């Protein structure tokens, strides 16, 4: 769907929305279907080839609407109101288009926290099974979690919220955690009377897109009864391409896995997907059952009550946009998007490598290039300052082995080779001026 | 804005969005403005009278766009991608229209958790200031939080996540917490060596829309160094009407306050607003500062970094829809909406009171009517079962003083008197059949 088609389809959708809301009271307010009805109506796999918009929109009435409880029907009197107004909907269209992420991107943080809390609950129960006399607070004070020294700040924050210790595991020269490094810390902590219970592995770290060694770390976590969560927020989308799939080897040892389709899979913010091996581990940690939230199907196993899986009770109907995207692009279209962006990163890498004043600071695996001017941190800080000040392109820095490094990430769906070339020309122009001034 | 205007404005917005995205690379990718620029461009108060859509849309380019970092510019290379595609945007329009709340409404839960975690952090520091030898885990094991036995299940869940004890305070015959009840529990717990640190008051409980007595409870919490959080998720919207404002008396004693504009203020889900008296209490509990999230203005005090205020790092640009709604309705329009819905609840209450087979179970203050058939819980369960089965209206139950009660909440913006009359006719018809069968 290009801009021209969006103009047409968007306007049709405006009419559909208005028709839906003007006639909502003619629909049964509450669905007359058994849970699980959806399974037979949709294919088991995302489509390989893109589908037509007509086919998708036909399925809205065939597949989606029969299962909807119409919260905006005037015959809906349950719970409390869920607000709805036309201005808010128009605004939300604009909100979706701007698609900015308030002070950074998102909800992989929540997935990390949820997995840590589930692991905490499981560990407390396990220890109490062995030693019933130990109090919960005594056990909590001894729990220790681990993550890479390259992991996202949200991992450390999860431990802070969960009131447990968190240790940073040092990484190798490719910024990845290896088995021996984690094993050493775990042994030391066990000898000191602590209880290792959780390891958050990262596939595609934020600073340099490094990959922890799951095939080494997974068996260790399993041996030590430690929950292994995988944070693949960015890189996870790339695993739809067979050539990147080996980076995921070892996932079979994980207890939970998360990635953000809203990062690299063309689904507007926010949309974060989490898998968990034993759903009972998550549900057991949070379940609450007040009467006003009880429903007929909760014990049948037919319904997945996601409210037990997360911190907020409610969530937007975010899978809808994922469904549209999967169908409109097809697997092939999504793979083409990932591959194109990786190629653009490689193109930028080549430009940097061809210029002897610069160096590449980490292997370019996906769409991120970490680079810097050979020389001091101050020099690179000054270069970034000038890039930021000129406002033609936008980069952020990171720190790798104590060095100030520039991160060049391929982001927008619309970035093409000529944008890369122009960005590099701009960077080299600023570099030329900077080095000339420095030499005077 | 009615459906006809939405058809026109929505289509204009589709064109605006397409124009924006087709020409995004002509815009400076990064804003050239000082933080705080917005203050002089917008009024200090929400408008009293509705404004025209033209005035609002003009302000998008004048007020909003100059401050936007264009995440979808092909010159944006910072962080990682934030996905965007036309199909996802079309889907999100539909998502906004359906506006269903996945397994219940939402994010007041997060506000409660955040306030509890901030209070926990503050309490630990306070105790350690007095007694530096006490370990954090020792203090944590003694912390105790309180809330009404009528409070939402998310409050209890927050304590579970925060790994602290939570006690339920019994309520009076109007389902409200009074000073003496809380004081008694606090005294008992202190005598047992525990540390009371948090009370979550409710204004407008979920079962019966009861109001805890803030003017009694606030001073007690202040005396006892207990954080008082107010959960006004539903009722909070009503405080824009002067006649309901007295229900808020005592708010000045609170440390934090939350309500959900997505419940009753015409802003589509999700949108939850939280105030905190001392922002440092919240920020101190969560702050993390990795290099890739650092920015020039963070020490200036000009920027409010909401990422320190919440669990996810990112958030959607949700204030946009609130801004549209405030301006399109004006204070008067929003007040009229609240008052109309309260009047509809009173109308339903009169119908129930006029029928001697029924009883009203709690005072009708806002838009919720709690009622039941005089008789056994089983009888009322059977009535609700038949209401649910016939699918003409949708209600959920609650429990009040051990009795099974039906909750009739005025929800949809489009509910009118004739819907209420029809709903009551439907209920009485089912009641007639039920009682006739029961008498045979």
């Amino acid at each position: 769907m290009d801009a021209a088609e969006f103009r047409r389809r968007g306007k049709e959708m405006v009419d559909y929305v208005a028709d839906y809301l003007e006639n909502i009271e003619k629909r049964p307010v509450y669905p007359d279907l058994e849970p699980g009805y959806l399974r037979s109506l949709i294919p088991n796999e995302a489509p390989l080839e893109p589908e037509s918009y007509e086919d998708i929109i036909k399925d809205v009435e065939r597949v989606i609407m029969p299962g909807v409880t119409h919260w905006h029907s005037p015959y809906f009197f349950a719970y409390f109101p869920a607000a709805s107004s036309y201005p808010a909907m128009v605004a939300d269209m604009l909100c979706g288009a701007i698609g900015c992420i308030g002070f950074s991107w998102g909800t992989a943080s929540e997935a990390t926290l949820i997995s840590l809390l589930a692991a905490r609950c499981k560990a407390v129960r396990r220890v109490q099974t062995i030693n019933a006399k130990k109090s919960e607070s005594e056990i909590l004070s001894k729990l220790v979690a681990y993550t890479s020294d390259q992991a996202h700040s949200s991992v450390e924050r999860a431990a802070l919220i969960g009131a447990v210790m968190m240790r940073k595991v040092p990484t190798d020269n490719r910024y990845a955690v290896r088995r021996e490094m984690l094993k050493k810390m775990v042994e030391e902590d066990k000898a000191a009377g602590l209880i290792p219970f959780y390891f958050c592995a990262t596939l595609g770290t934020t600073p340099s897109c490094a990959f922890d060694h799951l095939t080494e770390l997974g068996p260790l976590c399993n041996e030590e009864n430690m929950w292994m969560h995988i944070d693949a927020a960015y890189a996870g989308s790339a695993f739809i391409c067979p050539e990147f799939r080996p980076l995921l080897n070892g996932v079979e040892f994980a207890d939970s896995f998360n990635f953000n389709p809203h990062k690299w899979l063309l689904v507007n913010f926010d949309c974060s997907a989490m898998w968990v091996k034993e759903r009972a581990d998550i549900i057991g940690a949070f379940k609450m059952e007040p009467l006003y939230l009880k429903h007929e199907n909760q014990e049948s196993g037919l319904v997945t009550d996601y409210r037990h899986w997360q911190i907020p009770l409610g969530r937007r109907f975010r899978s809808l946009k994922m469904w549209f995207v999967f169908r409109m692009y097809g697997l092939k279209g999504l793979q083409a998007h990932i591959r194109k962006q990786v190629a653009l990163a490689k193109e930028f890498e080549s430009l940097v490598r061809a210029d002897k004043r610069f160096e590449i600071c980490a292997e370019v695996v996906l769409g991120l290039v970490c680079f810097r001017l050979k020389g001091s941190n101050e020099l690179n800080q000054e270069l970034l300052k000038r890039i930021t000040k000129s406002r033609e392109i936008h980069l952020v820095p990171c720190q790798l082995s104590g060095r100030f490094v520039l991160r060049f990430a391929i982001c927008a769906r619309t970035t093409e080779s000529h944008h890369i070339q122009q960005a590099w020309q701009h960077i080299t122009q600023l570099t030329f001026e900077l080095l000339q001034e420095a030499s005077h």
Side-chain angles (χ1 to χ4, degrees), chain A residues 348 371 383-396 406-409 415 418-430:
Chain A
F348 186 80
F371 73 109
L383 175 59
L384 182 60
K385 209 168 150 184
R386 292 182 182 204
I387 290 171
T388 304
K389 204 175 157 201
S390 75
R391 292 171 201 282
E392 283 195 32
I393 62 174
H394 187 35
L395 303 184
V396 291
L406 280 67
R407 288 174 78 266
F408 188 94
T415 302
H418 74 269
H419 297 109
I420 302 295
Q421 296 292 337
Q422 205 172 319
W424 179 244
Q425 205 187 340
H426 178 61
I427 293 167
T428 50
Q429 176 63 33
L430 293 177

Side-chain angles (χ1 to χ4, degrees), chain A residues 7 19 52 66 130 148 156 166 169 193 195 219 252 261 267-268 306 328 339 367 371 400 405 419-420 422 437:
Chain A
R7 286 179 202 270
D19 290 343
S52 75
I130 302 164
S148 161
E156 205 177 338
M166 165 84 60
V169 187
I195 308 167
E252 63 275 17
V267 183
N268 289 41
Y306 288 108
M328 291 292 292
R339 284 169 182 152
F371 73 109
L400 291 174
V405 168
H419 297 109
I420 302 295
Q422 205 172 319
E437 286 172 37

Side-chain angles (χ1 to χ4, degrees), chain A residues 23-54:
Chain A
N23 298 296
I24 195 165
E25 61 183 279
K26 295 179 195 156
R27 293 178 188 258
V29 60
Y30 196 70
D32 186 12
L33 280 170
E34 291 303 307
Y37 84 96
L38 203 59
R39 195 169 292 269
S40 65
L41 296 180
I42 55 170
N44 289 325
E45 289 180 4
L48 185 61
E49 302 283 350
E51 297 182 74
S52 75
Y53 184 80
E54 284 84 357

Side-chain angles (χ1 to χ4, degrees), chain A residues 232-438:
Chain A
Y234 165 68
S237 299
F239 302 146
I240 64 166
C241 300
E243 67 271 32
F244 298 121
R245 202 57 180 263
L247 293 166
L248 188 59
N249 286 348
V251 67
E252 63 275 17
F253 299 108
D255 295 284
S256 52
F257 174 89
N258 178 259
F259 88 107
N260 288 352
H262 74 239
K263 278 208 174 63
W264 210 12
L265 216 53
L266 297 172
V267 183
N268 289 41
F269 187 79
D270 52 344
C271 180
S272 188
M274 182 181 185
W275 283 260
V276 62
K277 196 174 267 172
E278 286 289 342
R279 68 170 74 185
D281 290 337
I282 298 266
I283 296 167
F286 300 118
K287 206 168 179 175
M288 290 279 156
E289 293 288 11
L291 185 57
Y292 48 83
L293 293 177
K294 280 223 163 82
H295 56 82
E296 284 178 19
N297 295 297
Q298 59 192 7
E299 304 304 333
S300 68
L302 287 169
V303 168
T304 305
D305 262 347
Y306 288 108
R307 64 188 166 90
H308 300 308
W309 292 52
Q310 59 184 9
I311 289 164
L313 268 179
R315 51 170 70 207
R316 289 191 63 178
F317 185 4
R318 285 176 294 201
S319 53
L320 190 64
K321 51 190 173 183
M322 201 173 197
W323 190 63
F324 269 61
V325 169
F326 280 10
R327 295 190 64 181
M328 291 292 292
Y329 284 88
L331 179 60
K332 280 191 183 172
L334 293 170
Q335 286 173 335
H337 170 67
I338 297 282
R339 284 169 182 152
K340 179 180 163 186
Q341 294 218 322
V342 175
L344 289 171
K346 300 277 188 194
E347 180 179 342
F348 186 80
E349 182 192 10
S350 308
L351 294 169
V352 176
R353 286 200 189 276
D355 188 326
K356 295 297 168 214
R357 296 170 300 178
F358 288 90
E359 58 186 327
I360 293 290
C361 307
E363 189 188 356
V364 178
V365 181
L366 298 174
L368 175 66
V369 183
C370 291
F371 73 109
R372 71 195 299 278
L373 272 169
K374 291 171 185 166
S376 68
N377 282 349
E378 291 67 32
L379 187 70
N380 282 283
Q381 276 161 350
E382 181 57 29
L383 175 59
L384 182 60
K385 209 168 150 184
R386 292 182 182 204
I387 290 171
T388 304
K389 204 175 157 201
S390 75
R391 292 171 201 282
E392 283 195 32
I393 62 174
H394 187 35
L395 303 184
V396 291
C398 69
Q399 204 162 29
L400 291 174
S401 310
R403 298 193 308 171
F404 187 91
V405 168
L406 280 67
R407 288 174 78 266
F408 188 94
I410 309 299
C411 292
R413 191 189 70 236
T414 50
T415 302
E416 299 287 346
S417 173
H418 74 269
H419 297 109
I420 302 295
Q421 296 292 337
Q422 205 172 319
W424 179 244
Q425 205 187 340
H426 178 61
I427 293 167
T428 50
Q429 176 63 33
L430 293 177
T431 299
F432 175 76
E433 292 166 16
L434 173 63
L435 294 179
Q436 207 165 42
E437 286 172 37

